[in-house]
Amino acid sequence: MLIFATLLLILVFHQSGNFFNQSDLPSTQSLLPEEVPVMKIDYGTHTLERIGQGWRIRPGLELSEARLATLVENWQQTIVTPLTGGKLQNTAVVVIWLAGQPQSVVIQVTQQGGDVLMQHQGRLYRAENRKITEFIPEAIL
């Protein structure tokens, strides 16, 4: 009986340690899957599209290919924090097409202070310490 009581106490202490170590901080995640390449980003009046290894924007803006590649990288590599509740208003709508995906990814974007807020499929996310111009060319805003 003493052995069972000891095992039970060890189990209880082990589980209570896991319980107290759980963090209440929201988890971070990537908004787009990094392993799936972006094929096209539609900004409404302008479209950024892949051409071979490079990028072009139509109708033309005076942006270098490196700047266009940076826009795409920002979309794919940005880490966001999920937020609870709320609905964005006065946003820019961006439609992103991924390789091999039949459906596009529709994201609403707005600047709030030093962060960018994004809404996708009814879920709200924050990209901390980012500017909206890192995702949408300034000439389009």
Side-chain angles (χ1 to χ4, degrees):
M1 187 71 170
L2 185 59
I3 294 172
F4 291 115
T6 304
L7 288 175
L8 183 62
L9 283 174
I10 291 171
L11 182 64
V12 168
F13 286 129
H14 178 70
Q15 293 301 321
S16 66
N18 289 340
F19 176 75
F20 289 117
N21 287 334
Q22 290 178 352
S23 175
D24 289 338
L25 297 175
S27 62
T28 58
Q29 64 189 56
S30 178
L31 193 60
L32 299 175
E34 290 183 36
E35 66 278 356
V36 181
V38 171
M39 299 308 292
K40 180 168 72 169
I41 300 176
D42 186 1
Y43 293 108
T45 58
H46 292 75
T47 301
L48 175 59
E49 54 192 4
R50 181 182 292 277
I51 299 177
Q53 296 294 322
W55 295 94
R56 75 172 170 201
I57 192 160
R58 289 180 165 203
L61 293 174
E62 294 186 21
L63 297 174
S64 69
E65 190 173 320
R67 172 69 175 123
L68 297 177
T70 300
L71 287 168
V72 175
E73 288 172 15
N74 287 342
W75 279 109
Q76 283 200 291
Q77 297 174 359
T78 294
I79 302 298
V80 295
T81 305
L83 301 175
T84 57
K87 187 166 180 119
L88 296 180
Q89 296 178 352
N90 301 325
T91 62
V93 177
V94 178
V95 180
I96 301 173
W97 293 90
L98 302 172
Q101 301 293 322
Q103 296 289 324
S104 62
V105 177
V106 180
I107 302 172
Q108 294 175 281
V109 185
T110 190
Q111 184 80 46
Q112 185 181 53
D115 302 332
V116 173
L117 297 182
M118 300 177 181
Q119 190 160 4
H120 170 58
Q121 294 183 338
R123 294 186 182 110
L124 190 59
Y125 302 93
R126 176 186 304 142
E128 295 181 8
N129 302 315
R130 303 300 294 257
K131 294 182 181 177
I132 197 168
T133 54
E134 295 176 42
F135 302 97
I136 303 173
E138 193 169 348
I140 296 175
L141 293 172

